Amino acid sequence: MSTSRRDFARLMGIAAVSGVLPTQGYAAQKQPADIYELPNFGNARLLHMTDCHGQLSPVYFREPSINLGIGAAYGKAPHLVGHKFLDNFGITPGSMEAYAFTYLDFEKAAKEYGKVGGFAHLKTLVDRLRNSYGSENTLLLDGGDSWQGSGINYKSRGMDMVRASNLLGVDMMTGHWEFTYHQQEILHNISQFNGEFLAQNVLITEDALFDGADDYIYDEDSMRVFKPYSIRDMGGARVAIIGQAFPRVKIANPARFVPDWSFDINGDMMQELVDDLRQNQGVDAVVVLSHNGMDVDVAMAQRVTGIDAILGGHTHDGIPIPTRVKNNDHTTLVCNVGSNGKFLGVLDLDIGKGRVKDFRYRLLPVFSDLLPANKDMATLIAAERAPYASWMDEELAVADETLYRRGNFNGTFDQVICDALRSHYDAQISLSPGFRWGTSVLQGQTITMERVLDQTCTTYPETYARDMTGADIKLILEDVADNIFNPEPYLQSGGDMVRLGGLDYRCDPLAAMGSRIDEMRLDNGTVIEANKTYRVAGWATVGSRSDGDDIWDIVAHHLRDQQEVKISKLNTPALVNVAGNPGYKA
């Protein structure tokens, strides 16, 4: 990587979006000489990060080539990929920003522009933006999914990220994968976090309240487990930040880890909260720090009145310009800032009495080679990594092609996982969850245990092999497809389709529930029969705990045997009714 700061400024433009979007496009706007030197605007600055998934060090991360939008979301951000994305936001193909926001020419661009993210580099950027604006008028907000996603997270039970977040200066956060630790671990980690953990939509169950859980919950009357919001005085304005945790935790993840808590969107409670803040507590701006997923955030902005901005996460969408949602006489900005520490959102607000008058927004890619590492953070990361370095640094194999995950259907690293499961259990079919986290490995690079852990490190890594009927397999695929393609955003879970090994199928995202999946066949062409039984391997069960080996050990064994990873077949479905969809790479 030899790109200089001068080259960087020439190659890339970062949006400075005001209340009226310019017609020239994202990349054509006049920029400062250094894109990390932002002009100050307004009286409150919100720095926004989300979904870093434990990635303390710089990584490669390939954006999706398939991100289908269905119904009202068709052709709208975030459901744009490749050249459609570039055209929509006025980004020049082949530029550094095209590398940041799309999958196009990923391998070539990654070698030219280098890795992204890394908390030591992010710390440098955060300090710069906070100090230039005034720390008293700046907040750093984390949308959650920080404590999970790496081997260090698993071993430290998320405390490595608590310590890193404290040093980074995170003021407030909400959660999702944080809730895949056990309740007492979560409460302990929050007690060690220097900021505020906010979640208006996590309630105590009546049984738990009756059994004495009131000793730790925030408010017995509302049954909220955590503080729902925080109000800060910023530049003469009162700004409220409301936390919105992932609403489907006990559907998408094991309910057994958090038995005493319930999760939902709680839209009515959100509206009551916004009304109370505006009518009774004299706030001038209301911001929601959300882990809903972008489609759900847009729907919430349409249904809940009085929110000025939703700073969202969960679906890992890096969107350079906010989506403006009209609701009665109010406009809500919906902002999403990607994942893996790859981006930092900067929302500057000009706040008057009781209203936001104007704003500026920039989504800054965190290019590791262009931001010097903060020494204190680099020291902390080295200390957190040291006890596990020998485990994570093991060299397993070499990638014969780029390995990645992100996309609505199978990625190449997913196929490696599925193939490893089939081989280990001598199974006809394998299933792997449609997680959106997981870093990328370039062709020719060594696959270390750390990269395997990036793809597999959950707190429920156990594998299984069992017999399933063809009808059972179809039911699983239909259920997951509905979580993604249901036209009602509040019924979406925001992940991607379950990954498969040894099985092909046809998928119609526009069809009704129960009718999206057909033409299921084994790799040899044998048609799957509803009443016939098949041997199926998988991992990460959300119900009862499985008793097989941990998934990372199975994948590591598979890679050691192969030495060079060559994917003979990618089990991705044949799609119908997607021709021309801007979220589909034809």
PDB file of all heavy atoms in Angstrom, residues 314-330:
ATOM      1  N   HIS A 314     -26.830  -3.190  12.620  1.00  0.00           N
ATOM      2  CA  HIS A 314     -27.293  -4.568  12.501  1.00  0.00           C
ATOM      3  C   HIS A 314     -27.137  -5.125  11.095  1.00  0.00           C
ATOM      4  O   HIS A 314     -26.647  -6.240  10.927  1.00  0.00           O
ATOM      5  CB  HIS A 314     -28.744  -4.720  12.963  1.00  0.00           C
ATOM      6  CG  HIS A 314     -29.261  -6.126  12.844  1.00  0.00           C
ATOM      7  ND1 HIS A 314     -28.654  -7.201  13.466  1.00  0.00           N
ATOM      8  CD2 HIS A 314     -30.314  -6.653  12.159  1.00  0.00           C
ATOM      9  CE1 HIS A 314     -29.317  -8.308  13.185  1.00  0.00           C
ATOM     10  NE2 HIS A 314     -30.318  -8.016  12.381  1.00  0.00           N
ATOM     11  N   THR A 315     -27.552  -4.401  10.058  1.00  0.00           N
ATOM     12  CA  THR A 315     -27.503  -4.952   8.706  1.00  0.00           C
ATOM     13  C   THR A 315     -26.208  -4.629   7.976  1.00  0.00           C
ATOM     14  O   THR A 315     -26.053  -5.000   6.807  1.00  0.00           O
ATOM     15  CB  THR A 315     -28.718  -4.471   7.889  1.00  0.00           C
ATOM     16  OG1 THR A 315     -28.965  -3.088   8.143  1.00  0.00           O
ATOM     17  CG2 THR A 315     -29.951  -5.258   8.268  1.00  0.00           C
ATOM     18  N   HIS A 316     -25.276  -3.930   8.638  1.00  0.00           N
ATOM     19  CA  HIS A 316     -23.912  -3.733   8.128  1.00  0.00           C
ATOM     20  C   HIS A 316     -23.882  -2.910   6.833  1.00  0.00           C
ATOM     21  O   HIS A 316     -22.985  -3.102   6.000  1.00  0.00           O
ATOM     22  CB  HIS A 316     -23.208  -5.075   7.899  1.00  0.00           C
ATOM     23  CG  HIS A 316     -22.959  -5.857   9.147  1.00  0.00           C
ATOM     24  ND1 HIS A 316     -22.062  -6.904   9.210  1.00  0.00           N
ATOM     25  CD2 HIS A 316     -23.474  -5.748  10.391  1.00  0.00           C
ATOM     26  CE1 HIS A 316     -22.040  -7.404  10.432  1.00  0.00           C
ATOM     27  NE2 HIS A 316     -22.906  -6.712  11.171  1.00  0.00           N
ATOM     28  N   ASP A 317     -24.808  -2.019   6.663  1.00  0.00           N
ATOM     29  CA  ASP A 317     -24.882  -1.224   5.441  1.00  0.00           C
ATOM     30  C   ASP A 317     -24.097   0.084   5.607  1.00  0.00           C
ATOM     31  O   ASP A 317     -24.397   0.883   6.498  1.00  0.00           O
ATOM     32  CB  ASP A 317     -26.348  -0.898   5.108  1.00  0.00           C
ATOM     33  CG  ASP A 317     -27.197  -2.154   4.994  1.00  0.00           C
ATOM     34  OD1 ASP A 317     -26.840  -3.021   4.187  1.00  0.00           O
ATOM     35  OD2 ASP A 317     -28.210  -2.262   5.724  1.00  0.00           O
ATOM     36  N   GLY A 318     -23.124   0.288   4.733  1.00  0.00           N
ATOM     37  CA  GLY A 318     -22.401   1.558   4.706  1.00  0.00           C
ATOM     38  C   GLY A 318     -23.051   2.478   3.681  1.00  0.00           C
ATOM     39  O   GLY A 318     -22.890   2.276   2.479  1.00  0.00           O
ATOM     40  N   ILE A 319     -23.790   3.474   4.144  1.00  0.00           N
ATOM     41  CA  ILE A 319     -24.572   4.342   3.260  1.00  0.00           C
ATOM     42  C   ILE A 319     -24.055   5.776   3.392  1.00  0.00           C
ATOM     43  O   ILE A 319     -24.161   6.379   4.461  1.00  0.00           O
ATOM     44  CB  ILE A 319     -26.075   4.284   3.609  1.00  0.00           C
ATOM     45  CG1 ILE A 319     -26.565   2.830   3.612  1.00  0.00           C
ATOM     46  CG2 ILE A 319     -26.885   5.137   2.643  1.00  0.00           C
ATOM     47  CD1 ILE A 319     -26.399   2.113   2.288  1.00  0.00           C
ATOM     48  N   PRO A 320     -23.498   6.338   2.317  1.00  0.00           N
ATOM     49  CA  PRO A 320     -22.792   7.614   2.433  1.00  0.00           C
ATOM     50  C   PRO A 320     -23.676   8.827   2.651  1.00  0.00           C
ATOM     51  O   PRO A 320     -23.180   9.866   3.099  1.00  0.00           O
ATOM     52  CB  PRO A 320     -22.039   7.724   1.095  1.00  0.00           C
ATOM     53  CG  PRO A 320     -22.763   6.827   0.157  1.00  0.00           C
ATOM     54  CD  PRO A 320     -23.328   5.723   0.980  1.00  0.00           C
ATOM     55  N   ILE A 321     -24.966   8.733   2.348  1.00  0.00           N
ATOM     56  CA  ILE A 321     -25.877   9.861   2.507  1.00  0.00           C
ATOM     57  C   ILE A 321     -27.095   9.397   3.293  1.00  0.00           C
ATOM     58  O   ILE A 321     -27.634   8.323   3.013  1.00  0.00           O
ATOM     59  CB  ILE A 321     -26.306  10.424   1.133  1.00  0.00           C
ATOM     60  CG1 ILE A 321     -25.108  11.080   0.443  1.00  0.00           C
ATOM     61  CG2 ILE A 321     -27.428  11.457   1.283  1.00  0.00           C
ATOM     62  CD1 ILE A 321     -25.408  11.583  -0.958  1.00  0.00           C
ATOM     63  N   PRO A 322     -27.540  10.151   4.294  1.00  0.00           N
ATOM     64  CA  PRO A 322     -28.713   9.720   5.064  1.00  0.00           C
ATOM     65  C   PRO A 322     -29.961   9.592   4.200  1.00  0.00           C
ATOM     66  O   PRO A 322     -30.152  10.338   3.238  1.00  0.00           O
ATOM     67  CB  PRO A 322     -28.891  10.847   6.095  1.00  0.00           C
ATOM     68  CG  PRO A 322     -27.578  11.555   6.154  1.00  0.00           C
ATOM     69  CD  PRO A 322     -26.996  11.435   4.783  1.00  0.00           C
ATOM     70  N   THR A 323     -30.801   8.638   4.566  1.00  0.00           N
ATOM     71  CA  THR A 323     -32.133   8.529   3.974  1.00  0.00           C
ATOM     72  C   THR A 323     -33.063   9.457   4.745  1.00  0.00           C
ATOM     73  O   THR A 323     -33.150   9.373   5.972  1.00  0.00           O
ATOM     74  CB  THR A 323     -32.641   7.075   4.048  1.00  0.00           C
ATOM     75  OG1 THR A 323     -31.786   6.240   3.265  1.00  0.00           O
ATOM     76  CG2 THR A 323     -34.064   6.965   3.524  1.00  0.00           C
ATOM     77  N   ARG A 324     -33.762  10.345   4.015  1.00  0.00           N
ATOM     78  CA  ARG A 324     -34.648  11.317   4.657  1.00  0.00           C
ATOM     79  C   ARG A 324     -36.082  10.777   4.608  1.00  0.00           C
ATOM     80  O   ARG A 324     -36.608  10.505   3.531  1.00  0.00           O
ATOM     81  CB  ARG A 324     -34.555  12.666   3.950  1.00  0.00           C
ATOM     82  CG  ARG A 324     -33.174  13.309   4.065  1.00  0.00           C
ATOM     83  CD  ARG A 324     -32.962  14.385   3.003  1.00  0.00           C
ATOM     84  NE  ARG A 324     -33.941  15.442   3.096  1.00  0.00           N
ATOM     85  CZ  ARG A 324     -33.797  16.547   3.845  1.00  0.00           C
ATOM     86  NH1 ARG A 324     -32.695  16.712   4.547  1.00  0.00           N
ATOM     87  NH2 ARG A 324     -34.728  17.477   3.873  1.00  0.00           N
ATOM     88  N   VAL A 325     -36.689  10.616   5.770  1.00  0.00           N
ATOM     89  CA  VAL A 325     -38.034  10.042   5.879  1.00  0.00           C
ATOM     90  C   VAL A 325     -38.985  11.100   6.415  1.00  0.00           C
ATOM     91  O   VAL A 325     -38.791  11.623   7.516  1.00  0.00           O
ATOM     92  CB  VAL A 325     -38.036   8.806   6.800  1.00  0.00           C
ATOM     93  CG1 VAL A 325     -39.442   8.233   6.908  1.00  0.00           C
ATOM     94  CG2 VAL A 325     -37.055   7.756   6.294  1.00  0.00           C
ATOM     95  N   LYS A 326     -40.010  11.407   5.642  1.00  0.00           N
ATOM     96  CA  LYS A 326     -41.032  12.367   6.052  1.00  0.00           C
ATOM     97  C   LYS A 326     -42.109  11.658   6.871  1.00  0.00           C
ATOM     98  O   LYS A 326     -42.602  10.606   6.490  1.00  0.00           O
ATOM     99  CB  LYS A 326     -41.671  13.017   4.830  1.00  0.00           C
ATOM    100  CG  LYS A 326     -40.794  14.065   4.149  1.00  0.00           C
ATOM    101  CD  LYS A 326     -40.870  15.388   4.882  1.00  0.00           C
ATOM    102  CE  LYS A 326     -40.224  16.516   4.075  1.00  0.00           C
ATOM    103  NZ  LYS A 326     -40.297  17.792   4.786  1.00  0.00           N
ATOM    104  N   ASN A 327     -42.487  12.266   7.980  1.00  0.00           N
ATOM    105  CA  ASN A 327     -43.546  11.736   8.833  1.00  0.00           C
ATOM    106  C   ASN A 327     -44.315  12.924   9.384  1.00  0.00           C
ATOM    107  O   ASN A 327     -43.831  13.643  10.265  1.00  0.00           O
ATOM    108  CB  ASN A 327     -42.953  10.896   9.967  1.00  0.00           C
ATOM    109  CG  ASN A 327     -44.012  10.248  10.838  1.00  0.00           C
ATOM    110  OD1 ASN A 327     -45.153  10.692  10.893  1.00  0.00           O
ATOM    111  ND2 ASN A 327     -43.626   9.187  11.531  1.00  0.00           N
ATOM    112  N   ASN A 328     -45.523  13.148   8.826  1.00  0.00           N
ATOM    113  CA  ASN A 328     -46.281  14.360   9.121  1.00  0.00           C
ATOM    114  C   ASN A 328     -45.433  15.576   8.781  1.00  0.00           C
ATOM    115  O   ASN A 328     -44.934  15.690   7.678  1.00  0.00           O
ATOM    116  CB  ASN A 328     -46.758  14.355  10.573  1.00  0.00           C
ATOM    117  CG  ASN A 328     -47.764  13.247  10.843  1.00  0.00           C
ATOM    118  OD1 ASN A 328     -48.552  12.894   9.970  1.00  0.00           O
ATOM    119  ND2 ASN A 328     -47.730  12.690  12.048  1.00  0.00           N
ATOM    120  N   ASP A 329     -45.204  16.460   9.727  1.00  0.00           N
ATOM    121  CA  ASP A 329     -44.401  17.653   9.452  1.00  0.00           C
ATOM    122  C   ASP A 329     -42.945  17.476   9.871  1.00  0.00           C
ATOM    123  O   ASP A 329     -42.183  18.447   9.892  1.00  0.00           O
ATOM    124  CB  ASP A 329     -45.000  18.867  10.184  1.00  0.00           C
ATOM    125  CG  ASP A 329     -46.369  19.240   9.653  1.00  0.00           C
ATOM    126  OD1 ASP A 329     -46.605  19.029   8.446  1.00  0.00           O
ATOM    127  OD2 ASP A 329     -47.198  19.718  10.449  1.00  0.00           O
ATOM    128  N   HIS A 330     -42.565  16.258  10.206  1.00  0.00           N
ATOM    129  CA  HIS A 330     -41.219  16.013  10.718  1.00  0.00           C
ATOM    130  C   HIS A 330     -40.420  15.195   9.705  1.00  0.00           C
ATOM    131  O   HIS A 330     -40.965  14.381   8.979  1.00  0.00           O
ATOM    132  CB  HIS A 330     -41.282  15.260  12.052  1.00  0.00           C
ATOM    133  CG  HIS A 330     -40.099  15.476  12.928  1.00  0.00           C
ATOM    134  ND1 HIS A 330     -40.033  16.503  13.853  1.00  0.00           N
ATOM    135  CD2 HIS A 330     -38.919  14.817  13.029  1.00  0.00           C
ATOM    136  CE1 HIS A 330     -38.877  16.458  14.482  1.00  0.00           C
ATOM    137  NE2 HIS A 330     -38.179  15.443  13.995  1.00  0.00           N
TER     138      HIS A 330
END
